[in-house]
């Protein structure tokens, strides 16, 4: 939920496929043995039922499949993760027990989701394992404060996302990749070497720009740097290191570093889209999403990302009101407005409970019934929403937006661009549904603010 401009400034402060819907899996995998103890959030204790929601009219199978894996209130419907499994089967698995400990992840929710996917792809590209990363949660009032240097704001992956889902998916689709919790380092797990590698050492690298692709693999860079570290250790042995243990590599999980659309085989893109299904939100935002959608499904609705919070850099509230309402009318005239058909509701994705009411009133003047999460929530759900941090409230809106019949957003917002990518069957936003000849049901328009031109490539 941050533009490239804002993230670029923040970077100065710190060094920091999509395959068609699988309707069913005939042979259910056995549950993996998960070494990490997740307590009450263990997958075996979660309800076996899937979410109550049925695919709404106009929601395409690939979108519903993504929703199930990332947002369903109960256990997600079976999904085989074919691209992940294929990548895992062909990965160059190492025998020296190397673990990546990814850092440098910060910004808004969807930017962090992308950086988590970068970390997972780095491990798959190199045949290494994963130490669950930790990321700082930004301030919910001052959205420009990302808490880069505030150690208390850093939360491990299991506090951000559904870690049992991650472990279960990799236990089934990629059992060779091992996952450990950072709290276990030097306690349950002996660390022999703890080194670091910086992507900034790659020739020609520029921060916040895509760099590695099929023609310039990350694996080649990583192996050369790791060889240097082993060679240095042989030449200058470190005293008092354990005889046995794992090697932990600190590495920044750089934002937008993979140019995934430049692989002509599309294997990178299919893997990237599968990894989107791996990063599942925790129970509370999923439950809220489920409750909010009860007030919208099964009737079709339009979705608008109304980006007017206090860190906005894109356009003024008044301008967004005008262009959004004009675009809603345009979407209705092009894709709706059939005999006997009434206008759908409009759902606003916005983190400011006061500003949304201005859109509600302006929409009413144009004949649109506009709603948002606070209007649709009962008393208990409203409290759940307000108790969440700003970015986790964003997860609720994200779950609703992907199921909208038509979605309006902003190119400079990682939130908008991520939703646009998920709605397209290719996994990449192909351009405005007002302009392309056939969007294959993506039904999305992003207002081009001349920012973040790499989002469609690399988020």
């Amino acid at each position: 939920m941050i533009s490239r401009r804002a993230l670029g400034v923040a970077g100065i402060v710190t060094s920091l496929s999509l395959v068609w819907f699988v309707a069913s899996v005939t042979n259910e995998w056995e549950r993996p043995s998960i070494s990490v103890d997740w307590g009450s959030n263990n997958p075996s204790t979660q309800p076996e039922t899937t979410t109550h929601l049925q695919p709404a009219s106009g929601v395409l199978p690939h979108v519903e499949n993504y929703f199930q894996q990332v947002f369903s209130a109960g256990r997600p419907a079976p999904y085989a993760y074919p691209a992940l499994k294929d990548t895992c089967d062909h990965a160059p698995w190492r025998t020296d027990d190397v673990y990546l400990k990814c850092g440098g992840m910060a910004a808004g929710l969807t930017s962090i989701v992308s950086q988590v996917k970068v970390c997972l792809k780095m491990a798959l590209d190199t045949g290494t394992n994963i130490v669950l990363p930790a990321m700082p949660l930004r301030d919910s009032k001052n959205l420009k404060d990302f808490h880069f240097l505030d150690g208390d704001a850093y939360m491990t992956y299991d506090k951000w996302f559904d870690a049992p889902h991650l472990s279960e998916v990799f236990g089934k689709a990629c059992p060779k990749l091992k996952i450990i919790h950072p709290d276990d380092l030097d306690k349950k797990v002996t660390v022999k070497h703890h080194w670091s590698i910086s992507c900034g050492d790659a020739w020609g690298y520029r921060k916040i720009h895509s760099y590695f692709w099929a023609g310039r693999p990350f694996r080649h860079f990583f192996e050369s740097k790791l060889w240097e570290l082993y060679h240095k250790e042989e030449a200058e042995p470190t005293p008092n290191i354990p005889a046995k243990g794992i090697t932990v590599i600190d590495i920044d999980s750089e934002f937008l570093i993979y140019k995934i659309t430049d692989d002509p085989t599309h294997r990178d893109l299919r893997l990237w889209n599968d990894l989107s299904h791996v990063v599942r939100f925790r129970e509370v935002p999923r439950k809220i999403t489920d409750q909010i959608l009860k007030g919208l499904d099964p009737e079709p609705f339009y979705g608008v990302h109304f980006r007017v919070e206090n860190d906005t850099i894109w356009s003024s509230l008044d301008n967004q009101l005008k262009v959004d309402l004009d675009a809603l009318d345009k979407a209705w005239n092009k894709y709706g407005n059939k005999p006997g058909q009434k206008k759908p509701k409009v759902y606003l994705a916005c983190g400011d409970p006061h500003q949304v009411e201005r859109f509600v009133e302006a929409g009413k003047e144009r004949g649109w019934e506009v709603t948002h999460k606070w209007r649709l929530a009962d008393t208990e759900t409203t409290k759940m929403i307000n108790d969440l941090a700003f970015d986790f409230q964003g997860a609720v809106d994200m779950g609703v937006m992907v199921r909208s019949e038509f979605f309006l957003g902003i190119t400079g917002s990682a939130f908008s661009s991520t939703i646009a990518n998920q709605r397209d069957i290719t996994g990449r936003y192909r351009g405005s549904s007002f302009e392309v000849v056939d969007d294959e049901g993506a039904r999305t328009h992003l207002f081009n603010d001349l920012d973040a031109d790499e989002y469609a490539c690399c988020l």
Side-chain angles (χ1 to χ4, degrees), residues 243-263:
K244 295 182 179 180
I246 68 172
T247 296
V248 175
I249 303 295
D250 288 335
I251 188 165
D252 279 0
S253 188
E254 297 282 4
F255 187 54
L256 303 181
I257 197 168
Y258 276 115
K259 195 181 295 187
I260 59 169
T261 55
D262 278 21
D263 173 13

Side-chain angles (χ1 to χ4, degrees), residues 296 300-306 324 328 344-349 359 371 397 400-409 419 423 443-445 447:
L296 291 169
F301 62 94
Y302 288 177
V304 176
H305 184 202
F306 192 41
D324 284 339
L328 286 170
K345 287 183 180 179
V346 175
Y347 179 91
L348 287 188
F359 200 116
T371 190
D397 283 337
V400 177
M401 289 290 98
V402 294
R403 290 172 65 101
S404 60
E405 184 176 24
F406 199 100
F407 172 66
L408 300 173
I419 292 169
R423 289 170 63 85
R443 301 295 189 267
T444 297
H445 171 76
F447 294 100

Side-chain angles (χ1 to χ4, degrees), residues 128-413:
T128 54
N129 306 300
I130 288 287
V131 177
L132 285 179
M135 298 77 74
L137 183 65
R138 68 170 161 179
D139 192 278
S140 290
K141 301 298 182 183
N142 178 10
L143 301 180
K144 296 179 182 179
D145 183 359
F146 297 115
H147 290 310
F148 290 129
L149 305 179
D150 182 1
D152 293 336
Y154 278 74
M155 305 190 305
T156 50
Y157 183 93
D158 49 314
K159 299 296 189 293
W160 275 86
F161 306 107
D162 186 342
H165 179 72
L166 174 77
S167 294
E168 189 169 12
V169 167
F170 275 91
K172 294 172 179 178
C174 190
K176 291 182 180 179
L177 188 147
K178 292 175 283 187
I179 302 171
I180 60 176
H181 196 282
D183 291 348
D184 291 340
L185 296 178
D186 291 320
K187 296 176 182 177
K188 297 180 180 180
V189 180
T190 301
V191 177
K192 182 176 182 179
H193 299 117
H194 198 152
W195 295 328
S196 64
I197 291 176
S198 172
C199 291
D201 292 335
W203 182 86
Y205 166 79
R206 291 187 301 149
K207 199 173 183 68
I208 321 297
H209 288 278
S210 55
Y211 182 84
F212 295 110
W213 64 291
R216 182 163 53 193
F218 173 73
R219 176 169 60 88
H220 293 175
F221 165 76
F222 180 83
E223 288 180 345
S224 68
K225 291 300 178 182
L226 186 58
W227 180 87
E228 291 177 7
L229 291 167
Y230 276 126
H231 183 71
K232 182 179 180 180
E233 172 63 24
E234 289 177 359
E236 305 172 14
T238 303
N240 303 320
I241 64 171
K244 295 182 179 180
I246 68 172
T247 296
V248 175
I249 303 295
D250 288 335
I251 188 165
D252 279 0
S253 188
E254 297 282 4
F255 187 54
L256 303 181
I257 197 168
Y258 276 115
K259 195 181 295 187
I260 59 169
T261 55
D262 278 21
D263 173 13
T265 70
H266 302 303
R267 292 183 75 247
D268 271 358
L269 180 55
R270 288 192 291 268
L271 170 64
W272 193 252
N273 293 329
D274 258 10
L275 292 178
S276 297
H277 294 49
V278 173
V279 187
R280 177 175 167 87
F281 292 108
R282 285 168 57 89
E283 182 181 17
V284 172
R286 296 197 327 261
K287 287 179 68 174
I288 296 171
T289 301
D290 182 81
Q291 291 299 312
I292 296 303
L293 282 169
K294 284 180 179 178
L296 291 169
D297 283 351
E299 295 298 323
F301 62 94
Y302 288 177
V304 176
H305 184 202
F306 192 41
R307 190 62 170 87
V308 293
E309 294 85 359
N310 61 38
D311 67 327
T312 186
I313 61 173
W314 294 280
S315 61
S316 68
L317 182 147
D318 289 335
N319 182 65
Q320 287 190 55
L321 270 178
K322 181 182 184 307
V323 298
D324 284 339
L325 289 169
D326 287 347
L328 286 170
D329 290 341
K330 190 172 183 178
W332 172 244
N333 289 330
K334 182 170 184 176
Y335 295 106
N337 206 12
K338 304 297 190 297
Q341 186 179 9
K342 66 176 183 179
K343 278 186 174 181
K345 287 183 180 179
V346 175
Y347 179 91
L348 287 188
C350 182
D352 190 322
H354 303 293
Q355 302 286 38
V356 291
E357 293 303 328
R358 292 189 59 181
F359 200 116
V360 171
E361 293 305 313
K364 187 185 299 182
E365 294 176 4
R366 298 273 286 264
W368 291 99
E369 180 184 352
V370 181
T371 190
H372 48 78
K373 54 183 173 287
W374 289 284
R375 282 204 166 203
L376 292 168
D378 58 24
T379 302
E380 180 182 356
T381 305
T382 298
K383 184 179 186 308
M384 292 170 67
I385 293 171
N386 293 335
D387 286 346
L388 284 179
F390 173 85
D391 277 310
F392 296 134
Q393 290 183 12
V396 174
D397 283 337
M398 186 178 177
V400 177
M401 289 290 98
V402 294
R403 290 172 65 101
S404 60
E405 184 176 24
F406 199 100
F407 172 66
L408 300 173
I410 302 173
T411 58
S413 164

Side-chain angles (χ1 to χ4, degrees), residues 13-59:
V13 181
T14 183
S15 77
L16 298 170
S17 340
L18 187 57
V19 293
W20 190 255
F21 177 66
V22 179
S24 63
V25 176
T26 53
N27 296 317
E28 186 176 356
W29 282 307
E30 293 182 2
R31 294 215 186 278
S33 58
I34 301 174
S35 59
V36 181
D37 180 13
W38 304 116
S40 61
N41 201 29
N42 188 283
S44 63
T45 67
Q46 294 184 15
E48 291 294 329
T49 56
T50 58
T51 180
H52 79 282
L53 294 166
Q54 298 299 315
S57 173
V59 178

